[in-house]
Amino acid sequence: MIEAKHIKKQVKTEEQTLTILEDVSLFVQAQQTVAILGASGCGKSTFLAILAGLDNPTKGEVYLDQVLLNELSQDQKALLRAKLLGFIFQDFQLIASFTALENVMLPLELVGNKAAKEQASYWLEQVGLSHRLKHYPKQLSGGEQQRVAIARSFINQPKILLADEPTGNLDQATGHKMIELLFELNQTQATTLVLVTHDQALAQQCQQRYRLEHGTLQIQDD
Amino acid sequence: MINFNLFLFIPKLLWRDWRAGELHILVFAIVVAVTSIVAIGFFSAQLELNMQGQVSRLLGAPFIVRSMNHPLEARWLLQAEQQQLTISQSLVFASVLSTEQQLHLSDVKAIDDNYVKQIDIRIAPDFDQVAIKTQSPPKSGTIWLEERLFYLLQANIGDKVELGYRELEIAGVFVYESRQSRSWWMISPKAFINRKDVASTKIIQPGSRVTYDYLFYGDKSNIELFRQWLQPQLSSSQWILTEKNIPRALNSALQKARDYLLLASLISVILAGVAIAIASQHFSRLRWDQTAVFRCFAYRKRDVLVSYIAYFLLLSVISSSIACGLGWLLHWVWLIWFKDFLLTFALIPSWKPIVVGIGSGIVVLFGFSLPVILQLASVPPLRVLRSHLMPLSISAIGLWLSAIVTVFILLWWYSQHFLLVFLLFVLGFGLLLLLLAMSSIGLISLKAIVNLSSGSFHWALLRILRQLSWSLAQVLALSLVFMLVGLAWFVKLDLFQGWQQQLPSNTPNYFLINIQPFQIEQVKQFVATSQINATDFYPMIRGRLIELNGQAIKDAIPAKAKNHNVLRRELNLSWASKVPEHNSLVQGKWWSDDISEHWVSVEYKLAKTLGIELGDRLSFRVGSEVITATVKNFRQVKWDSFYPNFYMILSPRILDQSSITWINSFYLPPKKQLLLKQLSKQFPNITIISIDAIVHEVRQILQRMLLAVDYLLLFVLAASFTVLFATLQASLAQRRTEMKIFHLLGCQQSQLQRQLWWEFLILGIFSGILAMLVTEAVIYGLYTWVLHWAFHWHPWLLVLPVLTVMSLMLGVRGMNRKVLSAP
Ligand SMILES: Nc1ncnc2c1ncn2[C@@H]1O[C@H](COP(=O)(O)OP(=O)(O)OP(=O)(O)O)[C@@H](O)[C@H]1O
Ligand SMILES: [Mg+2]
């Protein structure tokens, strides 16, 4: 489902060229669940962005559902994302002028799905926010915002879900519930899950665990 | 392929952004801008309607065809009747009226029933009786005479006069007619007869000189249709009377008012541009993050483009439609205020303001936001992870260029006046940019005192310098707004002054013509002893311009001047040893004592039209004699004054002294009217022409215009200050977050506030001075090249910087409470 081959990522800053990812390869089968761990600043978010086609690797290839991302234009990637991908951003990226409900509806609205509102209310209920539909991100706590972001990533029932620290802001109980939801999705919709997390407990529930260190990815055996 | 789902999504997006308050400034700017365009447009249209009303009142009808010597074809009149037009006719011919004692040449006007229904003609039953509006033409067999004809003919009411083969009874004293012709001071005394009596006088024969006027009344659109149908069929001796045929004083006043209206509307459009530009810049910043999120989901570049185009289109259509309604309402409130001054008004006087309003709402918004939309399309989706990732930076030049070109085309299309718009841009905008470049040097040189300064002033300076391009953008916007304010204000002052000078309280209301050479000294003495405020006396003789440099005049002048009035009729020639009062030399020298040759001084505009140059030789036929003189200079003449004015003035002693008469004009206050009787008793042959009525008329119209234009200015001012407000709001909104953070970090509110004050004080001073300089330059250009008014310096413009700083401080004061108290 996801295949990354020898990904290298360098960014040029004013003074020097910074190598964030040296040589990273990853293979994830359909419906598999994978956790990526690593110290802060080691390049996890960068790697996830490359998998999602938001960022281009300096070297290496990414296949999503057998499609080689490198060959696609920005626009084609956008369409592929709409079809295939769900993404939970580390800092949520909710739209400030939209209510919680509208934020969740957005991916479906953009493709003209009529059921956007029902779906969105359903998923917001699933994340326990059915009473906050009309509230703006500003009015929500960090954890609540994160749950909205999670609901949004579920709504187009993606085949692949990339989640950047989906439980970072949640207390244990709520975090636990969110994780349950993630895995439920994985079961019922056959969604492939790639999670970036610091949470060992969450990582343990995944079928595979990797550690990103010094620009390379290693399988982590406990 | 276009994703049509967008079109469902965009209205929702618009609504959500509005609800979240992100659109308020932009919508506010568009609404204010378009409202002012529409209101000013409507108001101008109503004024235009009134001016047309005035004109057709003075001319006598909305559509008049004059035909020389032959009546119009009967089938044309039939066509007019079929188009539901009412026709009234008058015909005028010169003829001798005679009584047993005397005879005198007069202009006889024959009128019909319809004519008196439409035209206000006042007739007194006898001398010293009140004149009343007549309801019918003179009864068949009777005649009305102008007062001086009674003296000239030594006749009384009830006497008989002969006109051709017909004897008519004098039945009334003609006092006033609302139709005013242009050549009011050259006419013979007037007499009125019934249209039906014309045939019996047997005066009109093939070849006699008769002026037929056909006045058409009816529905505006029917008249327009008829005009279009008729115009191509008219012969060279038939023409349509237009504004040019009303008295010059009024015509030029109306023209000036129109010029001002146009200027005011242009100013309102430019103000709109400024407001929308600023607001849309501010707005686009807010879109970046949102767009990045969209791009992460399904949005392609193209989708971003399409949706923001749709977004802005919808936004501008909605806000401009609201503004159109508001503009109409505002203009309606005005009308109610103005009711008593208006001759006519229409519910919707013209659709143009609406078209222009919505058009400029859309065009301006797009002109300014298209580059921004393109920029939005380049927002990388990765921005969601790395917020420092900016969209492709658009070149500032591209942005300005697209905005300037849009506004330029819009204004050009709107005003149809290339020169005016060009001037406003090149002078107004170009100069502003130049000065801006200079002031950026000025601002940078403030660096020197940064280290010397302290406290809030220091921080304010630092901020200005750190954000130099932002500061300059502020200065540009502010100085543009205040330049426009200055322009609207000072041009209006000059307009008013011009109007007042045109008709001072001692404007001549009487003309003396036909003063014989042997009387001239006595008349001068009479005028002097009775302390009348009189002009100089000018000799006058009629002559026709026949040759230019020895070539027949028709062949010697440019083709487009061939129909000029001057060639069709005899001119009034005069001579003078010094430059006449109210005239000024434009080119060449006065002859003074140089009598080596025969000289002629030519009116400047005529010389230009006919292509006459200094040193050319002009020949005139005067009676049987031909006089040739060399062009010595060009003169500017105040045609809109009530003084004797001449196209051609010769050097003294060219003309045969015996065949000339003298002319002058003077102001006679009402309480000195008795002098007239004395004058006519002492010099019975002198013709006294009263122009009191027309002076009064012009004065009244000017007064109305004065009021109207004042209100217009008020509105321009209101619009400018609202734009200023929008500007401040936009720039202060950006500061809000910053100030909040500073406050959280422990800065005192009062200190932040002081810093803000200093900052705007410095920017205000710069903008005010820029605005002042540019205003004067634009006024100079406007007067010299477009309006042809006399330029003078405006020391009061010094008030502009003060005004700028003051209003800025007030604005900041009002706004900044909000900034600091924002949660
Ligand atoms: N365009 C860029 N310019 C400079 N540095 C960059 C750029 N993009 C990424 N980096 C750097 O690359 C490193 C990896 O960033 P990334 O966001 O992937 O870390 P992360 O593993 O997600 O960390 P965290 O757990 O804190 O979220 C960081 O040190 C970041 O500063
Ligand atoms: Mg990260």
Side-chain angles (χ1 to χ4, degrees):
Chain A
M1 189 60 48
I2 304 173
E3 191 174 7
K5 288 182 179 167
H6 307 294
I7 300 292
K8 180 172 185 167
K9 179 69 185 177
Q10 291 178 315
V11 288
K12 285 200 184 77
T13 56
E14 274 152 29
E15 304 100 46
Q16 70 208 119
T17 321
L18 196 78
T19 307
I20 305 170
L21 302 175
E22 194 56 64
D23 180 4
V24 177
S25 298
L26 175 71
F27 180 73
V28 185
Q29 279 175 338
Q31 221 186 328
Q32 210 184 354
T33 54
V34 169
I36 297 176
L37 299 127
S40 171
C42 69
K44 303 176 300 282
S45 298
T46 309
F47 182 52
L48 226 49
I50 290 174
L51 290 186
L54 294 174
D55 203 355
N56 294 322
T58 316
K59 242 193 229 157
E61 292 166 343
V62 180
Y63 294 88
L64 283 186
D65 204 12
Q66 265 100 47
V67 182
L68 179 58
L69 278 190
N70 305 46
E71 286 175 352
L72 299 185
S73 68
Q74 281 268 20
D75 286 348
Q76 285 167 319
K77 283 183 210 164
L79 288 182
L80 190 70
R81 275 198 296 273
K83 236 176 35 205
L84 218 58
L85 266 187
F87 207 115
I88 302 172
F89 300 102
Q90 192 170 3
D91 50 0
F92 330 133
Q93 292 295 336
L94 300 178
I95 291 173
S97 55
F98 285 26
T99 60
L101 182 69
E102 288 158 359
N103 263 295
V104 178
M105 283 161 67
L106 181 67
L108 289 190
E109 274 186 323
L110 288 180
V111 295
N113 190 324
K114 294 264 163 27
K117 196 163 182 176
E118 284 161 48
Q119 289 286 318
S121 334
Y122 170 76
W123 283 111
L124 277 169
E125 199 187 318
Q126 291 298 303
V127 298
L129 286 174
S130 51
H131 57 300
R132 311 292 304 258
L133 299 186
K134 293 243 161 99
H135 290 197
Y136 292 97
K138 262 190 287 187
Q139 298 165 311
L140 300 173
S141 74
E144 284 164 338
Q145 288 183 38
Q146 186 152 38
R147 275 140 73 191
V148 175
I150 291 171
R152 183 175 65 182
S153 72
F154 287 171
I155 195 167
N156 59 342
Q157 300 176 336
K159 278 195 189 163
I160 302 170
L161 186 65
L162 305 175
D164 201 344
E165 301 196 24
T167 57
N169 287 284
L170 303 178
D171 63 277
Q172 271 212 326
T174 325
H176 203 72
K177 245 186 94 191
M178 294 304 113
I179 292 163
E180 262 173 27
L181 268 174
L182 281 175
F183 284 98
E184 200 180 300
L185 199 71
N186 165 252
Q187 291 299 317
T188 55
Q189 316 275 343
T191 304
T192 312
L193 274 183
V194 178
L195 310 176
V196 165
T197 183
H198 291 297
D199 181 352
Q200 281 293 341
L202 171 56
Q204 286 308 327
Q205 296 191 24
C206 294
Q207 294 158 345
Q208 277 289 1
R209 279 163 301 283
Y210 294 90
R211 173 162 289 277
L212 190 56
E213 229 167 9
H214 310 302
T216 54
L217 199 64
Q218 270 110 32
I219 293 186
Q220 188 187 9
D221 306 297
D222 320 87
Chain B
M1 193 200 77
I2 289 172
N3 179 355
F4 286 99
N5 299 316
L6 297 181
F7 296 113
L8 291 173
F9 178 57
I10 290 310
K12 287 189 210 160
L13 183 61
L14 198 63
W15 162 242
R16 289 170 195 171
D17 287 346
W18 165 261
R19 195 186 50 190
E22 292 179 358
L23 283 174
H24 290 185
I25 295 175
L26 187 58
V27 168
F28 178 69
I30 303 175
V31 168
V32 168
V34 175
T35 303
S36 69
I37 293 176
V38 173
I40 289 176
F42 273 139
F43 189 56
S44 309
Q46 299 280 20
L47 274 183
E48 180 59 40
L49 210 66
N50 268 273
M51 291 198 269
Q52 277 166 19
Q54 299 278 12
V55 168
S56 61
R57 202 169 75 85
L58 290 175
L59 286 176
F63 181 53
I64 301 174
V65 178
R66 176 164 289 180
S67 177
M68 299 308 294
N69 307 339
H70 300 283
L72 287 189
E73 284 183 37
R75 62 184 184 92
W76 293 353
L77 302 183
L78 217 66
Q79 172 74 22
E81 267 160 11
Q82 271 166 11
Q83 294 191 7
Q84 263 116 38
L85 301 184
T86 319
I87 310 166
S88 80
Q89 297 184 30
S90 74
L91 55 89
V92 178
F93 51 91
S95 180
V96 171
L97 287 175
S98 56
T99 55
E100 276 161 26
Q101 300 83 11
Q102 292 286 342
L103 53 127
H104 200 274
L105 190 70
S106 78
D107 273 340
V108 180
K109 194 169 199 171
I111 55 178
D112 60 11
D113 289 358
N114 273 344
Y115 193 85
V116 286
K117 271 185 210 133
Q118 303 288 353
I119 311 288
D120 184 1
I121 296 180
R122 307 232 175 109
I123 301 297
D126 205 342
F127 301 114
D128 312 323
Q129 291 200 18
V130 182
I132 47 166
K133 183 180 182 319
T134 176
Q135 301 297 332
S136 54
K139 277 205 205 80
S140 183
T142 65
I143 187 168
W144 300 332
L145 301 181
E146 197 177 330
E147 186 168 344
R148 58 190 163 114
L149 265 178
F150 284 88
Y151 303 127
L152 292 165
L153 295 173
Q154 295 178 3
N156 279 311
I157 293 284
D159 290 354
K160 302 270 194 240
V161 288
E162 256 172 47
L163 176 64
Y165 287 86
R166 183 75 194 260
E167 203 175 54
L168 299 162
E169 187 189 319
I170 304 173
V173 185
F174 164 74
V175 176
Y176 168 83
E177 177 179 0
S178 60
R179 284 186 78 189
Q180 304 279 357
S181 85
R182 178 167 196 166
S183 45
W184 37 264
W185 58 274
M186 289 187 291
I187 40 170
S188 313
K190 277 184 186 165
F192 284 79
I193 63 169
N194 193 303
R195 179 88 173 76
K196 291 178 202 136
D197 289 344
V198 174
S200 60
T201 63
K202 296 193 184 153
I203 289 173
I204 297 180
Q205 304 295 335
S208 23
R209 288 185 67 85
V210 186
T211 307
Y212 293 88
D213 277 357
Y214 294 84
L215 294 76
F216 297 94
Y217 303 89
D219 194 65
K220 213 173 166 184
S221 54
N222 287 345
I223 289 179
E224 195 45 44
L225 276 177
F226 181 63
R227 179 205 298 271
Q228 279 163 16
W229 177 81
L230 185 67
Q231 202 154 18
Q233 311 189 58
L234 295 177
S235 76
S236 63
S237 61
Q238 297 165 332
W239 59 86
I240 294 165
L241 292 193
T242 64
E243 245 171 69
K244 287 191 184 138
N245 302 81
I246 65 170
R248 262 197 173 111
L250 200 56
N251 196 0
S252 89
L254 294 183
Q255 193 50 49
K256 278 182 181 170
R258 260 187 208 133
D259 286 342
Y260 188 78
L261 291 184
L262 185 62
L263 187 70
S265 340
L266 289 187
I267 287 176
S268 71
V269 177
I270 300 178
L271 277 172
V274 178
I276 294 174
I278 291 161
S280 68
Q281 285 298 329
H282 166 68
F283 173 73
S284 79
R285 279 286 153 87
L286 296 173
R287 300 296 82 171
W288 289 359
D289 288 332
Q290 201 181 71
T291 311
V293 176
F294 290 174
R295 293 275 275 140
C296 278
F297 295 118
Y299 258 34
R300 296 165 297 173
K301 248 191 162 101
R302 190 188 315 163
D303 297 329
V304 178
L305 271 182
V306 172
S307 43
Y308 277 110
I309 288 175
Y311 185 94
F312 278 109
L313 198 65
L314 195 62
L315 181 66
S316 47
V317 168
I318 293 175
S319 3
S320 348
S321 313
I322 294 171
C324 280
L326 279 178
W328 182 86
L329 276 180
L330 249 166
H331 122 278
W332 200 249
V333 172
W334 258 334
L335 279 195
I336 293 171
W337 247 329
F338 254 85
K339 209 164 63 244
D340 302 335
F341 291 97
L342 297 174
L343 284 178
T344 53
F345 58 86
L347 196 61
I348 291 173
S350 151
W351 289 98
K352 199 175 167 194
I354 298 219
V355 176
V356 172
I358 293 189
S360 43
I362 294 172
V363 170
V364 173
L365 190 58
F366 267 93
F368 286 107
S369 53
L370 203 59
V372 170
I373 294 175
L374 289 174
Q375 189 187 33
L376 279 174
S378 76
V379 168
L382 193 60
R383 192 181 151 85
V384 293
L385 287 189
R386 311 251 170 267
S387 59
H388 68 275
L389 283 183
M390 298 288 178
L392 287 178
S393 76
I394 37 171
S395 84
I397 296 179
L399 184 77
W400 278 112
L401 221 61
S402 104
I404 291 176
V405 169
T406 332
V407 176
F408 186 86
I409 292 175
L410 180 76
L411 290 184
W412 184 11
W413 167 73
Y414 177 37
S415 68
Q416 310 279 318
H417 198 320
F418 181 78
L419 190 62
L420 177 60
V421 176
F422 185 74
L423 206 104
L424 276 179
F425 267 78
V426 170
L427 260 182
F429 212 71
L431 207 64
L432 210 55
L433 285 181
L434 188 77
L435 288 175
L436 200 65
M438 281 161 61
S439 63
S440 72
I441 298 170
L443 279 176
I444 291 170
S445 69
L446 288 177
K447 259 194 181 130
I449 53 168
V450 164
N451 293 327
L452 301 177
S453 60
S454 61
S456 314
F457 178 65
H458 175 77
W459 291 111
L461 265 186
L462 262 186
R463 210 197 124 91
I464 289 177
L465 290 171
R466 274 203 201 118
Q467 307 209 346
L468 195 62
S469 61
W470 179 87
S471 311
L472 286 176
Q474 293 291 306
V475 172
L476 180 66
L478 290 174
S479 47
L480 205 58
V481 169
F482 280 93
M483 177 199 76
L484 295 173
V485 169
L487 205 57
W489 184 276
F490 284 92
V491 173
K492 189 214 80 161
L493 285 185
D494 286 340
L495 180 75
F496 280 22
Q497 217 169 39
W499 280 346
Q500 262 148 19
Q501 277 169 6
Q502 186 184 328
L503 290 179
S505 56
N506 58 355
T507 301
N509 53 356
Y510 286 93
F511 270 84
L512 292 186
I513 59 175
N514 204 25
I515 307 169
Q516 298 301 317
F518 65 87
Q519 294 175 313
I520 183 73
E521 287 310 319
Q522 291 164 274
V523 177
K524 276 183 183 171
Q525 200 140 31
F526 181 90
V527 167
T529 52
S530 31
Q531 291 179 315
I532 298 174
N533 203 338
T535 63
D536 288 344
F537 288 77
Y538 295 92
M540 187 170 97
I541 196 163
R542 292 175 76 84
R544 189 180 278 268
L545 178 61
I546 50 170
E547 283 175 5
L548 171 60
N549 292 329
Q551 205 181 356
I553 186 74
K554 289 235 171 189
D555 304 326
I557 56 169
K560 61 176 193 278
K562 287 215 156 56
N563 278 327
H564 200 284
N565 237 350
V566 162
L567 307 178
R568 274 201 280 221
R569 59 179 173 81
E570 291 198 309
L571 295 171
N572 293 307
L573 306 175
S574 184
W575 73 77
S577 50
K578 57 180 175 65
V579 189
E581 333 158 69
H582 310 293
N583 283 204
S584 53
L585 283 192
V586 178
Q587 217 180 328
K589 281 203 189 89
W590 196 252
W591 40 76
S592 305
D593 296 325
D594 177 10
I595 46 164
S596 58
E597 261 185 88
H598 290 166
W599 300 114
V600 59
S601 165
V602 185
E603 193 267 336
Y604 175 62
K605 272 195 194 138
L606 178 69
K608 242 167 94 179
T609 327
L610 298 187
I612 298 173
E613 313 244 351
L614 290 185
D616 280 351
R617 298 173 59 75
L618 299 180
S619 305
F620 302 92
R621 170 168 291 124
V622 179
S624 56
E625 207 182 336
V626 173
I627 301 168
T628 302
T630 309
V631 178
K632 180 80 173 169
N633 57 52
F634 297 138
R635 254 173 320 118
Q636 194 152 37
V637 172
K638 275 199 173 159
W639 291 111
D640 51 10
S641 71
F642 289 86
Y643 300 103
N645 284 317
F646 299 95
Y647 277 123
M648 306 281 178
I649 295 179
L650 298 156
S651 56
R653 283 182 288 281
I654 301 180
L655 293 166
D656 173 14
Q657 303 278 331
S658 62
S659 58
I660 55 144
T661 59
W662 293 73
I663 175 174
N664 88 327
S665 66
F666 55 84
Y667 171 68
L668 202 63
K671 60 179 192 296
K672 284 193 176 176
Q673 297 288 333
L674 267 180
L675 282 174
L676 286 180
K677 289 235 150 93
Q678 271 181 42
L679 195 72
S680 57
K681 216 177 268 168
Q682 199 175 336
F683 312 102
N685 66 298
I686 294 178
T687 311
I688 305 166
I689 298 177
S690 161
I691 51 166
D692 224 19
I694 178 84
V695 170
H696 181 72
E697 185 96 23
V698 172
R699 198 171 265 146
Q700 218 176 17
I701 291 173
L702 287 189
Q703 233 145 34
R704 281 178 202 161
M705 306 285 291
L706 233 75
L707 241 124
V709 168
D710 242 357
Y711 274 84
L712 194 67
L713 179 73
L714 263 185
F715 201 74
V716 172
L717 289 184
S720 336
F721 284 103
T722 342
V723 168
L724 181 76
F725 182 75
T727 315
L728 283 180
Q729 176 124 51
S731 61
L732 288 178
Q734 283 179 357
R735 305 289 293 277
R736 201 164 293 183
T737 7
E738 190 188 310
M739 292 191 61
K740 242 172 10 197
I741 292 169
F742 273 110
H743 186 47
L744 287 177
L745 291 177
C747 271
Q748 282 178 347
Q749 282 211 355
S750 59
Q751 192 189 341
L752 289 174
Q753 194 153 332
R754 246 178 289 140
Q755 182 193 335
L756 200 71
W757 277 74
W758 273 115
E759 213 180 306
F760 277 92
L761 182 69
I762 296 169
L763 295 179
I765 290 172
F766 265 94
S767 333
I769 292 175
L770 277 194
M772 176 182 75
L773 295 176
V774 176
T775 306
E776 191 71 309
V778 172
I779 289 182
Y780 177 81
L782 263 184
Y783 289 8
T784 319
W785 296 303
V786 182
L787 301 180
H788 304 293
W789 299 2
F791 174 79
H792 61 99
W793 292 100
H794 300 83
W796 279 105
L797 263 173
L798 283 170
V799 173
L800 208 55
V802 181
L803 184 75
T804 310
V805 169
M806 263 168 42
S807 42
L808 211 54
M809 291 292 112
L810 279 176
V812 171
R813 201 189 137 86
M815 302 295 308
N816 110 24
R817 262 197 212 109
K818 252 181 161 178
V819 174
L820 291 170
S821 62

